[in-house]
């Protein structure tokens, strides 16, 4: 299968679904992680232009840990709006490139506007990408003769610290938890800053949340998901690993 995870910032995927993606790679899936925003406002001291390059390399290293292909859209923090054609078209291009069998993205009810905008854009673009005659977009990843994508299920990944999120499906990541944390810790620009200046051990928080989800489903560690429930996006198959 082809699996596409679309997160907003370069560490969002590692926080919420890296164990699941690693497990998909292990079963033989082609897995692509896309970061929509550069994460350029994610530091108090490092300027945006420098931070963009740092976070892109951190994301590449994190993906390499698990054999995940990492790509990115061309937006900066707080400049993603779910009503924008340009943003939707970039995701159409990415979805057609990935040709996913299912998509993972942010929960529509999340804690910050960039996350909720990305969630809505994925919903819109995943439909638009299926229309054969929709060709009015710039090709960055997909070839000009790329076929339309399939209309596929969307899974919403956990919110930060699990706030206001009740999973409907779980993935046991007990064997992947250490890999998940290693992937997360490649995002040094975020984790080191929070440890030194905010007193937050973010990796420990992510491990703890995975442990809590594990308690809910009888596993040592787990990640939780909800499925987008709209016409033609349901399935009788178990797609998550």
């Amino acid at each position: 299968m082809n699996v596409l995870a679309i997160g907003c910032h370069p560490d969002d995927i590692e926080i919420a679904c890296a164990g699941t993606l690693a497990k998909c790679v292990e079963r033989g899936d082609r897995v692509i992680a896309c970061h929509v925003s550069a994460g350029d406002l994610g530091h108090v001291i490092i300027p945006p232009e420098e931070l963009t390059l740092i976070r892109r390399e951190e994301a590449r290293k994190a993906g390499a840990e698990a054999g995940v292909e990492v790509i990115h859209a061309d937006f900066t923090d707080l400049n993603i709006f779910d009503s924008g054609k340009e943003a939707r078209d970039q995701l159409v291009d990415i979805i057609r490139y990935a040709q996913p069998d299912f998509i993972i993205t942010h929960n529509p009810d999340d804690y910050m506007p960039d996350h909720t905008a990305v969630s809505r854009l994925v919903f819109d673009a995943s439909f638009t990408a299926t229309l054969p005659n929709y060709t009015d977009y710039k090709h960055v990843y997909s070839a000009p003769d790329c076929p339309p994508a399939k209309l596929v299920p969307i899974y919403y990944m956990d919110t930060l610290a699990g706030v206001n999120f009740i999973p409907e499906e779980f993935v046991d990541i007990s064997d992947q938890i250490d890999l998940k944390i290693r992937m997360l810790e490649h995002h040094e620009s975020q984790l080191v800053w929070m440890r030194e200046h905010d007193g937050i051990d973010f990796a420990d928080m992510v491990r703890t949340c995975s442990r809590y989800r594990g308690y809910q489903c009888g596993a040592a560690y787990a990640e939780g998901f909800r499925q987008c429930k709209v016409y033609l996006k349901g399935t009788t198959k178990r797609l998550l690993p």
Side-chain angles (χ1 to χ4, degrees), residues 71 89-99 137-147:
I71 62 177
D89 283 354
Q90 285 201 33
L91 292 187
V92 167
D93 175 54
I94 286 164
I95 291 169
R96 286 186 170 175
Y97 165 72
Q99 294 290 313
Y137 66 96
K138 182 180 179 181
H139 295 270
V140 176
Y141 290 101
S142 66
D145 60 349
C146 184

Side-chain angles (χ1 to χ4, degrees), residues 23-43:
K23 202 164 183 176
C24 286
V25 171
E26 290 170 10
R27 74 177 180 184
D29 296 347
R30 176 195 180 207
V31 180
I32 298 173
C34 172
H35 308 293
V36 177
S37 178
D40 60 314
L41 299 182
H43 208 281

Side-chain angles (χ1 to χ4, degrees), residues 18-235:
T20 297
L21 297 188
K23 202 164 183 176
C24 286
V25 171
E26 290 170 10
R27 74 177 180 184
D29 296 347
R30 176 195 180 207
V31 180
I32 298 173
C34 172
H35 308 293
V36 177
S37 178
D40 60 314
L41 299 182
H43 208 281
V44 176
I45 296 175
I46 303 173
E49 296 81 6
E50 181 181 350
L51 187 59
T52 294
L53 299 177
I54 290 172
R55 298 199 69 181
R56 189 168 293 177
E57 178 61 13
E58 289 172 344
R60 186 197 65 77
K61 290 179 179 178
E65 282 276 358
V68 173
E69 179 184 353
V70 176
I71 62 177
H72 56 86
D74 189 27
F75 289 89
T76 54
D77 287 359
L78 298 178
N79 281 302
I80 306 167
F81 304 100
D82 59 14
S83 59
K85 181 180 184 301
E86 181 185 359
R88 186 191 67 189
D89 283 354
Q90 285 201 33
L91 292 187
V92 167
D93 175 54
I94 286 164
I95 291 169
R96 286 186 170 175
Y97 165 72
Q99 294 290 313
D101 292 290
F102 66 91
I103 299 170
I104 298 173
T105 193
H106 291 287
N107 188 55
D109 180 18
D110 211 336
Y111 81 105
M112 67 170 299
D114 281 355
H115 286 198
T116 57
V118 166
S119 182
R120 182 66 193 186
L121 285 166
V122 170
F123 180 86
D124 293 350
S126 67
F127 177 83
T128 307
T130 68
L131 304 177
N133 292 326
Y134 188 81
T135 57
D136 182 24
Y137 66 96
K138 182 180 179 181
H139 295 270
V140 176
Y141 290 101
S142 66
D145 60 349
C146 184
K150 297 178 292 185
L151 190 61
V152 299
I154 295 174
Y155 293 93
Y156 296 127
M157 59 191 181
D158 217 335
T159 57
L160 192 62
V163 175
N164 199 32
F165 189 89
I166 300 177
E168 298 169 343
E169 294 193 48
F170 294 92
V171 175
D172 183 345
I173 61 162
S174 303
D175 293 337
Q176 292 79 26
I177 185 62
D178 291 336
L179 173 58
K180 174 185 173 79
I181 299 303
R182 287 201 306 275
M183 293 171 71
L184 179 63
E185 288 186 333
H186 278 293
H187 296 275
E188 294 182 18
S189 66
Q190 306 303 293
L191 271 68
V192 171
W193 174 262
M194 285 188 284
R195 283 173 181 151
E196 293 181 352
H197 297 273
D198 298 328
I200 299 172
D201 188 338
F202 202 66
D204 178 70
M205 186 190 81
V206 170
R207 182 185 287 272
T208 300
C209 290
S210 298
R211 180 64 172 146
Y212 174 67
R213 292 304 187 203
Y215 277 123
Q216 293 179 317
C217 64
Y221 295 92
E223 292 171 340
F225 300 88
R226 293 193 311 109
Q227 191 173 346
C228 175
K229 294 179 179 178
V230 299
Y231 179 59
L232 294 179
K233 284 193 178 293
T235 178

